[in-house]
């Protein structure tokens, strides 16, 4: 019987890329996002290309009841999840108090609460079976000082990194690998959604990666049992410099660069 990977936010970008990578490696899929038409198009492509069986679940993870309902639907369909990719996410431009609280609350629900709840509900059965793979799509932003704007983004990504490290320590001996994948700038719809696409055009091409490469590296990292993985050599170098250079210097540099791509 083929293993099944559940991918959230699978309708585009890194989530779609992870779905394609897991399918290419022989997994069947359960995919979820809000846009059913995108999910159906992806399912048809994967079934045609890899013979993958794809289960579609439309869900809006800003809804506090969505993670529980999704798990109930999986159980009702007799689907056992062997790999979980917590990818769903977006950014909220602007300074903290310039954005209404409900937008912040929805953001935290998707990027923090839903991730923790889906993991909490699916991880025990993985541990009981002695096999599980969990990828939390974090960000390089969670490893470096945060500039102004998108106030909660780096904070939630930092949480995902520490959350993944703790889970990895707790469950590695049960055969469950947990990895925080930390990409930097990635070609996707992310910047279109946040309205920062034009601002991003000024960044040099060497700072960018494509989503399929990020997903392939993330897949290899979780299979190897690496708790934290930064994608790409440039991003790895930035993370290393941020760790060893004086904090004030890194903060000043990031503030300067951040003005080019963050709305405040």
């Amino acid at each position: 019987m083929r293993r099944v990977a559940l991918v959230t936010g699978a309708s585009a970008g890194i989530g779609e890329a992870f779905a394609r990578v897991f399918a290419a490696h022989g997994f069947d899929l359960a995919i979820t996002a809000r846009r059913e038409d995108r999910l159906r198009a992806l399912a048809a492509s994967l079934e045609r290309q890899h013979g993958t069986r794809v289960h579609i679940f439309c869900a809006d993870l800003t809804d506090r009841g969505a993670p529980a309902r999704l798990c109930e639907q999986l159980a009702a369909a007799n689907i056992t999840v062997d790999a979980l990719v917590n990818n769903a996410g977006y950014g909220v431009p602007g300074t903290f108090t310039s954005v209404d609280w409900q937008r912040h609350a929805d953001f935290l629900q998707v990027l923090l609460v839903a991730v923790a709840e889906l993991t909490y509900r699916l991880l025990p059965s993985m541990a009981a079976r002695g096999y599980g793979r969990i990828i939390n799509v974090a960000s390089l932003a969670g490893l470096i000082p945060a500039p102004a704007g998108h106030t909660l983004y780096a904070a939630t990504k930092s949480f995902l990194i520490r959350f993944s490290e703790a889970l990895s320590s707790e469950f590695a001996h049960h055969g469950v690998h947990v990895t925080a994948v930390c990409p930097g700038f990635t070609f996707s719809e992310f910047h279109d959604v946040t309205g920062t696409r034009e601002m991003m055009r000024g960044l040099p091409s060497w700072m960018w990666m494509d989503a399929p490469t990020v997903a392939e590296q993330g897949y290899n990292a979780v299979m190897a049992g690496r708790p934290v993985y930064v994608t790409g050599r440039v991003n790895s170098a930035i993370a290393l410099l941020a760790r060893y250079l004086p904090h004030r210097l890194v903060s000043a540099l990031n503030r300067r660069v951040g003005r080019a791509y963050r709305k405040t």
Side-chain angles (χ1 to χ4, degrees):
M1 179 178 268
R2 288 160 63 109
R3 299 191 188 278
V4 176
L6 168 64
V7 183
T8 71
S11 59
I14 294 174
E16 178 185 345
F18 265 116
R20 292 187 180 281
V21 167
F22 272 89
H25 285 278
F27 281 74
D28 284 336
L29 288 166
I31 53 176
T32 183
R34 292 176 299 174
R35 296 177 289 186
E36 184 176 359
D37 58 332
R38 292 283 193 93
L39 294 178
R40 293 201 177 280
L42 174 59
S45 173
L46 296 178
E47 288 166 358
R48 183 171 58 251
Q49 188 172 3
H50 301 291
T52 307
R53 185 177 183 188
V54 183
H55 308 270
I56 295 172
F57 300 94
C58 287
D60 182 351
L61 293 178
T62 62
D63 181 348
R64 295 180 65 179
R69 282 197 301 274
L70 177 58
C71 291
E72 289 168 1
Q73 291 171 328
L74 289 164
N78 247 349
I79 298 170
T80 299
V81 174
D82 301 289
L84 169 64
V85 181
N86 284 309
N87 164 77
Y90 56 97
V92 178
T95 58
F96 187 55
T97 55
S98 70
V99 177
D100 67 83
W101 175 249
Q102 190 56 53
R103 287 187 69 193
H104 284 319
D106 289 345
F107 176 87
L108 291 171
Q109 178 63 36
V110 174
L111 275 86
L112 196 155
V113 178
V115 170
E117 184 174 352
L118 283 173
T119 303
Y120 182 83
R121 291 179 178 277
L122 296 172
L123 192 154
S125 63
M126 294 180 184
R129 295 192 306 274
Y131 180 93
R133 300 291 184 266
I134 299 174
I135 293 173
N136 293 317
V137 179
S139 172
L140 177 63
L143 294 167
I144 61 177
H150 295 254
T151 316
L152 294 176
Y153 187 80
T156 57
K157 296 304 185 178
S158 182
F159 166 84
L160 291 180
I161 292 166
R162 302 305 174 213
F163 179 53
S164 301
E165 288 176 327
L167 289 177
S168 179
S169 296
E170 291 174 12
F171 288 93
H173 64 288
H174 290 290
V176 179
H177 296 179
V178 184
T179 299
V181 175
C182 303
F185 295 114
T186 306
F187 291 113
S188 71
E189 295 180 355
F190 180 90
H191 302 291
D192 298 310
V193 174
T194 60
T196 55
R197 173 61 62 195
E198 286 304 315
M199 299 176 73
M200 307 306 295
R201 295 189 192 281
L203 293 175
S205 60
W206 52 264
M207 292 188 70
W208 292 87
M209 291 183 67
D210 61 83
T213 301
V214 168
E216 186 66 41
Q217 290 185 7
Y219 177 90
N220 292 335
V222 77
M223 290 301 171
R226 300 182 65 170
V228 179
Y229 183 80
V230 180
T231 62
R233 293 179 180 178
V234 171
N235 295 326
S236 297
I238 292 171
L240 194 65
L241 289 172
R243 184 174 180 181
Y244 290 107
L245 288 177
H247 188 273
R248 293 173 73 182
L249 174 60
V250 178
S251 294
L253 289 170
N254 206 25
R255 279 197 302 272
R256 184 173 179 179
V257 175
R259 294 190 193 106
Y261 65 89
R262 294 232 170 162
K263 285 186 175 181
T264 56

